[in-house]
Amino acid sequence: MKRLVVTVAADGTVSAQTEGITGSKCLHYVAVLEDLLAAQTVHSEYTADYTAVAGTVTTRQEQHDGA
């Protein structure tokens, strides 16, 4: 499930974290949030989802006899 978790602190600072969004697609969500808040990112870092591979990997093995 894709999520953007946004937290607003008592001092008004906003932090956000994407969950379930793999690769550089998460950067699009950051840009949208900046536009919505008329804000600029001060600090960012990648989560483990950034390097995760989207989708399912299927492995297939075949064995052939020499005939």
Side-chain angles (χ1 to χ4, degrees):
M1 181 167 86
K2 296 177 182 177
R3 292 177 20 152
L4 176 62
V5 179
V6 178
T7 305
V8 180
D11 66 357
T13 58
V14 177
S15 63
Q17 179 174 339
T18 59
E19 296 177 357
I21 303 168
T22 56
S24 62
K25 292 179 286 223
C26 63
L27 300 175
H28 171 73
Y29 290 83
V30 173
V32 169
L33 190 57
E34 285 179 331
D35 287 345
L36 288 172
L37 298 174
Q40 182 177 1
T41 300
V42 176
H43 171 80
S44 68
E45 58 187 63
Y46 296 122
T47 65
D49 286 339
Y50 182 80
T51 55
V53 176
T56 303
V57 176
T58 304
T59 302
R60 179 178 166 183
Q61 294 180 338
E62 293 183 14
Q63 182 175 351
H64 297 279
D65 59 352

